[in-house]
C-alpha cells in the first residue's frame, strides 16, 4: 500500500512539473497598425512575396474593419505584380463579392481586367500563329469583359478612361484574330467557313479597322460559293463605306 501511495504522489508530482514546464501561452498578436506597416514596407520595396505573406497574416488576424479591406486591396496588387495573375483575379473577385457596396469595387474590377490583360500582345499588329489553334483568345476576352463591366457599372470612375482605351486595343485585337482565322480558311478554300468568320467580325466588332478586309472576304467568299446576290449586297456595303474602311488598308 505504501508503494502505491508513493506511486500516486510521484505521478502527481510529474503532472505538476509537466504543467510548470509546458508550452508558454501564445503571445497576443501585434496591433493591426503595426502589422499593416510591416506589410507596406516590403510592398513599397517590391518584395512581393514577403508583402503577400504579411498581408495574408494581417487579414487572417484582423478579418474585419478598415485594415482588412486595405490588406485585401493591396493583396490584389501584390499578387498581380508578383506575376500570379490568377490569384489576383480571384482575390479581386472575392473582394467584389464580399464588399459589393465598397467604394473600392471599381478598383477591384479594374485590376481584374489589368491582371488578365495580355501585355505580350503588343504591338497591335504583331503576327498571329500560323493556325488559329495556335492562339488562345480567352485572356483577351476575359480582360475585355472585365473592363466592359467596369465602364458599364461605373462610367464616371477614375479607372474608366484607361479601361476604355484598353477595350479599344482588345477589341481591335479580337477583330484581327477573327480576320486571321477567316484568312486561314480562305487559303484552304473553305469559303463557307471563311464567310461565317468574317461575318462574325463585322457583326461583333463593327468599329474596328479590320472590317473592310472582312467585307472583302465576304464578297469573295460568296462569289466562290455562287451566291452572287449576297456578294453584291456585301459589295455595296463595302463601297458605301469605302472612305471609312479604305483607311484601314
Amino acid at each position: 500500500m505504501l508503494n502505491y501511495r508513493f506511486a500516486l504522489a510521484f505521478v502527481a508530482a510529474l503532472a505538476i512539473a509537466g504543467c510548470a514546464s509546458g508550452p508558454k501561452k501564445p503571445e497576443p498578436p501585434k496591433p493591426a497598425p503595426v502589422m499593416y506597416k510591416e506589410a507596406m514596407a516590403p510592398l513599397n520595396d517590391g518584395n512581393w512575396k514577403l508583402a503577400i505573406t504579411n498581408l495574408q497574416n494581417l487579414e487572417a488576424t484582423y478579418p474585419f474593419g478598415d485594415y482588412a479591406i486595405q490588406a485585401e486591396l493591396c493583396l490584389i496588387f501584390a499578387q498581380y505584380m508578383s506575376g500570379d495573375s490568377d490569384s489576383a483575379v480571384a482575390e479581386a473577385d472575392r473582394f467584389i463579392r464580399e464588399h459589393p457596396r465598397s467604394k473600392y469595387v471599381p478598383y477591384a474590377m479594374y485590376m481584374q481586367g489589368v491582371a488578365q490583360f495580355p501585355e505580350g500582345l503588343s504591338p497591335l499588329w504583331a503576327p498571329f500563329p500560323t493556325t488559329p489553334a495556335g492562339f488562345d483568345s480567352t485572356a483577351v476576352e476575359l480582360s475585355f469583359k472585365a473592363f466592359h463591366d467596369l465602364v458599364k457599372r461605373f462610367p464616371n470612375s477614375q479607372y474608366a478612361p484607361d479601361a476604355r482605351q484598353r477595350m479599344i486595343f482588345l477589341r481591335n485585337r479580337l477583330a484581327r484574330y477573327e480576320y486571321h482565322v477567316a484568312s486561314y480558311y480562305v487559303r484552304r478554300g473553305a469559303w463557307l467557313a471563311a464567310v461565317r468568320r468574317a461575318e462574325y467580325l463585322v457583326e461583333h466588332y463593327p468599329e474596328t479597322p479590320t472590317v473592310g478586309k472582312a467585307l472583302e472576304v465576304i464578297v469573295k467568299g460568296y462569289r466562290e460559293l455562287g451566291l452572287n446576290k449576297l456578294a453584291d449586297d456585301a459589295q455595296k456595303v463595302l463601297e458605301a463605306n469605302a472612305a471609312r474602311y479604305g483607311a484601314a488598308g
Side-chain angles (χ1 to χ4, degrees), residues 116 118 121 135-144 170 173-174:
Q116 298 173 102
L121 291 186
F135 177 75
D136 185 2
S137 63
T138 302
V140 181
E141 294 168 351
L142 290 174
S143 182
F144 183 89
L170 294 172
R173 187 67 185 187
L174 287 168

Side-chain angles (χ1 to χ4, degrees), residues 130-187:
T130 305
T131 64
F135 177 75
D136 185 2
S137 63
T138 302
V140 181
E141 294 168 351
L142 290 174
S143 182
F144 183 89
K145 183 180 184 306
F147 291 130
H148 177 270
D149 291 344
L150 167 62
V151 171
K152 183 177 181 180
R153 286 186 58 186
F154 303 99
N156 299 320
S157 164
Q158 68 186 94
Y159 308 103
D162 185 67
R164 291 188 181 95
Q165 291 301 311
R166 289 175 182 263
M167 285 172 64
I168 293 172
F169 173 92
L170 294 172
R171 185 170 57 236
N172 289 346
R173 187 67 185 187
L174 287 168
R176 276 280 294 168
Y177 171 66
E178 294 300 330
Y179 176 71
H180 170 70
V181 176
S183 299
Y184 170 78
Y185 288 131
V186 168
R187 292 193 300 271

